[in-house]
Amino acid sequence: VQSGMPFSFYHGRTGVVFNVNRNALGVEVTKVVGNRQLRKRLHVNIAHLKKSRCNESFLKRIKENDQKKRDAKLQGQTVVCKRQPEGPKDMKIVQSTGEDVEVLAPLPFIENYF
């Protein structure tokens, strides 16, 4: 069974488990080769794996939304669970005195024919 590190291309990749052994996991990873994606199956030692955390915020948001819906239903209200874009920042006015303003302009071009 597999005991070494996977090839460097697969470091940090996310895959799906297809097989479980005593001290290794079979992982299916996609690899771009030319113009297509291949599903590569490789066995990786458990010491070199960690569970993906990319889905945690999504699952957390689902639980929070379900709780909001339950609370709103008890109160007889409706709640909007859709995410809203942040939108533009608030307007700011910059105050300055006349001597603080510095105009930046390019230097004039000087032709040198040596």
Side-chain angles (χ1 to χ4, degrees):
V1 181
Q2 181 66 26
S3 61
M5 285 277 281
F7 187 66
S8 61
F9 171 83
Y10 300 104
H11 292 190
R13 301 281 168 161
T14 303
V16 180
V17 174
F18 73 90
N19 188 19
V20 179
N21 289 331
R22 184 169 44 88
N23 54 1
L25 276 182
V27 184
E28 197 169 69
V29 185
T30 57
K31 181 176 183 179
V32 177
V33 179
N35 62 344
R36 63 200 187 279
Q37 281 190 336
L38 299 178
R39 286 200 316 265
K40 306 285 279 189
R41 290 180 149 205
L42 50 138
H43 284 86
V44 186
N45 192 324
I46 294 172
H48 304 303
L49 295 173
K50 64 180 177 182
K51 193 173 185 304
S52 177
R53 299 183 60 194
C54 63
N55 211 18
E56 281 182 1
S57 60
F58 171 69
L59 295 174
K60 181 181 168 200
R61 203 173 74 241
I62 287 177
K63 287 179 186 173
E64 290 172 356
N65 287 348
D66 288 345
Q67 185 62 42
K68 287 179 189 173
K69 288 177 190 173
R70 270 188 247 113
D71 296 343
K73 194 172 187 180
L74 290 173
Q75 297 172 356
Q77 299 173 344
T78 58
V79 66
V80 178
C81 293
K82 288 187 175 180
R83 293 178 291 169
Q84 294 296 324
E86 191 176 315
K89 293 180 183 174
D90 293 335
M91 178 185 72
K92 292 181 184 175
I93 296 176
V94 179
Q95 300 289 340
S96 68
T97 58
E99 62 258 8
D100 290 343
V101 178
E102 183 179 340
V103 179
L104 300 176
L107 295 171
F109 179 69
I110 299 171
E111 292 185 14
N112 288 330
Y113 295 110
F114 293 111

